[in-house]
Amino acid sequence: MKVAIVHEWITVVAGSESCFKVFTEIYPEADIFVLVSDEKSVNALGINPKRVKNSFIQKLPKAKKKWKSYLPLFPYAIEQFDLSKYDLIISSSHAVAKGVIVNANQTHICYIYSPIRYAWDLYHQYLKEAGLKTGFKGFLAKSVLHYIRRWDLGTSNRVDEFIPISKYIEKRVWRTYRRESYKVIYPPVSVEEFTFNEKKDDFYLAASRLVPYKKIDLIAETFTRLPEKTLIIIGDGPEMDKIKKKSGPNIQIMGYQKFEVLKDFMQRAKAFIFAAEEDFGIIPIEAQACGTPVIAFGKGGSLETVKGKFVNEFINNDDTGVYFDNQSPASLMAAIEYFEKCNSVFDPVKIREFALTFGKDIFEKNIKETFTEIIEKHKK
């Protein structure tokens, strides 16, 4: 069986690359197709560069660093890959990878992180943050995204089976494409790298890249209103100045830190604060792997990666955190206060046990079994 693995780009090593890497390990002889790649990231994933085939975008100016500038070309570029000699095609997709051209004799499995967010769910937010709501540039951007939405919807039928990363994304796949998913399989998290620690100190922790949708500014504003509580923020990004302005003396902003420092604070924190609406959300699981409970926004992937209750719901020692119901200081404050009332109920051992269900070995087992089932189902 000849196998092709399609991924959008290998220019960073992030969450989706951990899944993609497993696919390349399950099928070590598979050819890999990407829009653009850089040698450093390919080597970091332990992939032989000879396996990687790039699109024509690779040869365009500054493509390895500014690949997103070529967004209008993505649909055309992904369709130029000739995959006609392959029996199985696995697309690892959060943008256009699922749009490769296939034929009736092939099986196409799409492991999907999300339909294209800036063309669908985050369309208006993307235009606003990029300053493209009005003007000629705005008109061009809206036209491109309109074209991409139509292309994205039209290419959904090139996929035989969708495997979404969460139930939240399963709903979005249905809403966007009107396609039933085969099965939800959660991405792998490197839980074994986060050491358990039962003893907690008297501070809260937030850690993230400082970008708008992570809502670290909301967390800072909330703790500024709670001067008796200590918050540590780890991370860097374009929102740094904004967050500093909203932070009181009880908040320590440490900026980017090495892994060992982040892990140490995760192990010792009273609770980890997570205010983003994520498709899945890896970092709350990493905190829980340390035995640390999580206070999370109760929407999106957090409802699956944190085993929690909303304020005033009954918490038992199988739970791993508390949810707040909207992204506002008042809602987060209520969740923090409720967490402190119930803190003694949380069991660090059980919190870690829950996190271990997202380990790489479980992901690999589920993926192998599911791929085999799908291949058998679609045998011609």
Side-chain angles (χ1 to χ4, degrees), residues 252-269:
Q252 182 182 354
I253 303 173
M254 297 181 64
Y256 170 80
Q257 297 294 320
K258 292 182 179 179
F259 173 74
E260 289 302 323
V261 175
L262 171 64
K263 183 173 74 169
D264 174 62
F265 278 92
M266 275 189 172
Q267 290 172 322
R268 295 187 293 111

Side-chain angles (χ1 to χ4, degrees), residues 298-318:
K299 192 174 180 182
S302 296
L303 293 173
E304 300 168 66
T305 59
V306 179
K307 191 178 179 183
K309 296 290 196 311
F310 285 92
V311 173
N312 295 324
E313 292 182 342
F314 178 73
I315 290 177
N316 60 56
N317 70 353
D318 284 328

Side-chain angles (χ1 to χ4, degrees), residues 7 9-21 41 44-45 94 113 187-188 282:
H7 192 62
W9 43 75
I10 311 175
T11 53
V12 291
V13 178
S16 64
E17 280 69 39
S18 64
C19 304
F20 163 70
K21 178 175 168 59
S41 297
L45 289 168
H94 52 62
Y113 309 98
I282 288 175

Side-chain angles (χ1 to χ4, degrees), residues 9-11 34-39 41-42 52 54 58 64:
W9 43 75
I10 311 175
T11 53
V34 295
L35 295 174
V36 62
S37 67
D38 71 61
E39 192 172 338
S41 297
V42 171
V52 179
N54 299 290
Q58 180 83 5
K64 293 181 182 180

Side-chain angles (χ1 to χ4, degrees), residues 35 39 47 51 86-87 153 181 195 240 245 250 277 300 313 328 333 339 347-348 354 356 363 373:
L35 295 174
E39 192 172 338
I47 295 170
R51 295 177 65 188
Y86 297 94
D87 305 296
L153 185 60
S181 296
T195 314
M240 176 65 84
K245 289 176 183 177
N250 60 319
E277 181 182 343
E313 292 182 342
S328 69
M333 284 173 68
F339 167 80
D347 183 343
F354 174 71
L356 294 180
F363 172 77
E373 289 172 9

Side-chain angles (χ1 to χ4, degrees), residues 205-208 211-220 222-223 272-278 283-284 294-300 302 306 322 324-329 332:
L205 176 67
S208 168
V211 292
Y213 86 96
K214 294 291 188 179
K215 299 293 182 183
I216 302 297
D217 60 327
L218 162 66
I219 298 172
T222 301
F223 274 85
F272 185 84
I273 312 290
F274 188 72
E277 181 182 343
E278 289 276 20
I283 199 163
V294 177
I295 300 172
F297 178 46
K299 192 174 180 182
S302 296
V306 179
V322 173
F324 55 101
D325 57 10
N326 63 75
Q327 291 169 312
S328 69
L332 177 52

Side-chain angles (χ1 to χ4, degrees), residues 28-87:
E29 302 301 318
D31 291 325
I32 297 166
F33 296 84
V34 295
L35 295 174
V36 62
S37 67
D38 71 61
E39 192 172 338
K40 182 179 178 181
S41 297
V42 171
N43 289 333
L45 289 168
I47 295 170
N48 184 343
K50 292 180 180 178
R51 295 177 65 188
V52 179
K53 304 180 189 306
N54 299 290
S55 76
F56 68 83
I57 292 176
Q58 180 83 5
K59 297 179 180 179
L60 298 179
K62 299 182 180 179
K64 293 181 182 180
K65 292 187 177 180
K66 296 185 178 292
W67 70 94
K68 291 182 181 178
S69 302
Y70 295 107
L71 172 65
L73 299 177
F74 287 0
Y76 177 78
I78 208 75
E79 289 183 342
Q80 301 315 300
F81 290 131
D82 181 3
L83 306 183
S84 56
K85 68 180 181 180
Y86 297 94
D87 305 296

